[in-house]
Amino acid sequence: MKKEIKEELNNHAPLLSGLSKKQEGYKVPDDYFARMEADLWEQIKPATKTVTEAAPRTSWWDGLIQQINWLLQPRMALQLASVALLILAGFFIMNRNATTQTDALANLTADDASEYILANLDEFDTESLIELGFGEEDFSAADATLFEDTDVDDLLDELQRENIDLQTLEVYL
Amino acid sequence: MAEKPSITDEQILSLLEKETSYEQGFKALMSAYQERLYWHVRRMVDNHEDANDVIQNVFIKVFRNIKKFKGDSKLYTWLYRIATNESITFLNKRNKKATNSLDDELSTVAHQLTADTYFDPDEAQLQLKAAIATLPEKQKAVFNLRYYEEMPYLEMAKVLDTTVGALKASYHHGLKKVETYLKNIEHNSL
């Protein structure tokens, strides 16, 4: 103990100066300091740069062969076969349902469809009915293709020439 | 008390500067200061489990900030300052928790000391530890650094960021309090 410190103790705390400092009674678990160092290193070690060995350069053909070989390993092949089988089965089932539905619709006549719609008219909204050809029809486009303005003028001229009045015309129609 | 490190602080810092020698620097610092700082923290908080938590935080702070250490003070002083501050912060939190606790018995110093399985003192040491535990945190740090670590006042002033005069006054006052506590126990036991 340093002389200065011992004098301080003797002067100010004689009881304390008589006590041993070496046997404090503190203990630590076995290998505590070694473990602390290891634990701490795990926490603070700088992020190590993982040096990966450069893979030898191979051609694309070798790469493809390697991939195929990998896929043809018994376990991989079995897994691939199972997946392929599932996809194939799914495709067949879906396709069969679709065909059945198409066939059933193909057998329906226009009259059957109309009958069904008229019987269940409440289930269809107006827009759907218009799309299906029920309700208001737009003849403007059809008229436009059937008659030109000149055709109408010619017809009127002819009526005048033949002295055919509207009542006579109605009889013909 | 641990032996003086065979490697200098400058050498440790130099090793820690380079990535290639960082691990070597880490081991050198741990070898030089791990035990000394642990015992300092342990004397501050008494309980091994608490000391373990505090010392882990101390070293994590040390290694995360070692590059900011500019060498204005000694590495040794800087390390003790971090350890002391962490211990005082911990004690303040622990005392606050104990004050809020309704169970007074659990918060007594005696209970904390005897509950530690890694503390096996003789009667005199138990009384001394109980006496030291009555000191306020900063005075406890002053007392421990001077009494156990035998640190010169000048170094202590750097660790605790205060004047030598204030430290001397604090230490002498602390000594008196501990001595009085021990005398009272001796008197009561007669």
Side-chain angles (χ1 to χ4, degrees), chain B residues 65-84:
Chain B
N65 294 291
I66 196 83
K67 291 197 173 149
K68 291 180 199 162
F69 176 72
K70 288 170 186 162
D72 298 336
S73 60
K74 287 181 186 172
L75 177 64
Y76 151 86
T77 314
W78 185 64
L79 295 174
Y80 266 89
R81 182 189 278 216
I82 294 174
T84 307

Side-chain angles (χ1 to χ4, degrees), chain A residues 7 32 35 42 49 77 83 92 116 123 125-127 172:
Chain A
E7 276 175 10
Y32 171 67
R35 275 190 287 117
E42 285 303 311
K49 290 172 189 164
V83 171
F92 274 120
Y116 174 79
E123 290 178 19
D125 55 28
T126 314
E127 281 175 14
Y172 282 111

Side-chain angles (χ1 to χ4, degrees), chain B:
Chain B
M1 198 172 167
E3 284 176 22
K4 224 178 175 184
S6 55
I7 188 167
T8 65
D9 287 354
E10 288 73 24
Q11 286 170 321
I12 293 172
L13 288 169
S14 168
L15 288 170
L16 287 167
E17 268 176 18
K18 294 167 206 153
E19 204 177 322
T20 48
S21 57
Y22 188 83
E23 189 172 358
Q24 205 186 338
F26 165 82
K27 284 183 177 169
L29 191 145
M30 292 301 280
S31 165
Y33 289 106
Q34 176 180 226
E35 289 196 35
R36 296 171 73 178
L37 291 179
Y38 170 81
W39 291 121
H40 174 54
V41 170
R42 178 76 185 266
R43 287 182 191 117
M44 287 296 291
V45 302
D46 291 312
N47 182 298
H48 167 70
E49 296 302 327
D50 293 342
N52 182 46
D53 290 345
V54 175
I55 199 72
Q56 295 270 344
N57 288 340
V58 168
F59 278 115
I60 286 169
K61 277 198 176 172
V62 165
F63 286 106
R64 285 195 180 147
N65 294 291
I66 196 83
K67 291 197 173 149
K68 291 180 199 162
F69 176 72
K70 288 170 186 162
D72 298 336
S73 60
K74 287 181 186 172
L75 177 64
Y76 151 86
T77 314
W78 185 64
L79 295 174
Y80 266 89
R81 182 189 278 216
I82 294 174
T84 307
N85 287 345
E86 283 293 309
S87 302
I88 289 173
T89 306
F90 175 83
L91 284 176
N92 284 334
K93 280 185 195 164
R94 192 172 73 183
N95 292 345
K96 204 173 173 186
K97 219 183 267 180
T99 313
N100 293 337
S101 167
L102 293 172
D103 195 345
D104 288 335
E105 194 188 345
L106 284 176
S107 66
T108 58
V109 173
H111 176 85
Q112 281 173 16
L113 288 170
T114 51
D116 186 2
T117 49
Y118 296 106
F119 185 51
D120 185 23
D122 58 24
E123 191 58 31
Q125 285 298 331
L126 183 63
Q127 287 167 2
L128 175 59
K129 292 294 173 193
I132 296 168
T134 63
L135 302 176
E137 287 80 25
K138 281 188 183 171
Q139 196 168 36
K140 190 178 183 180
V142 172
F143 183 92
N144 286 340
L145 287 174
R146 185 70 178 168
Y147 179 73
Y148 288 110
E149 303 278 335
E150 300 185 350
M151 196 181 273
Y153 282 118
L154 214 58
E155 292 294 329
M156 286 171 67
K158 287 171 191 163
V159 170
L160 299 166
D161 199 19
T162 188
T163 62
V164 169
L167 283 172
K168 280 184 179 173
S170 176
Y171 180 59
H172 291 163
H173 188 49
L175 275 180
K176 287 265 179 208
K177 280 198 223 171
V178 171
E179 186 78 358
T180 308
Y181 187 97
L182 293 175
K183 270 183 189 165
N184 284 342
I185 289 175
E186 198 179 52
H187 179 75
N188 290 338
S189 64
L190 288 175

Side-chain angles (χ1 to χ4, degrees), chain A residues 82-141:
Chain A
S82 309
V83 171
L85 202 66
L86 278 172
I87 293 170
L88 214 60
F91 177 76
F92 274 120
I93 290 165
M94 296 292 286
N95 209 27
R96 202 172 145 211
N97 287 345
T99 314
T100 317
Q101 281 178 352
T102 316
D103 290 347
L105 285 174
N107 292 335
L108 270 180
T109 62
D111 288 343
D112 292 336
S114 299
E115 224 171 273
Y116 174 79
I117 292 166
L118 288 170
N120 300 284
L121 206 57
D122 295 342
E123 290 178 19
F124 295 88
D125 55 28
T126 314
E127 281 175 14
S128 306
L129 289 170
I130 289 168
E131 273 176 28
L132 291 166
F134 290 86
E136 294 174 28
E137 290 179 41
D138 184 6
F139 293 103
S140 57

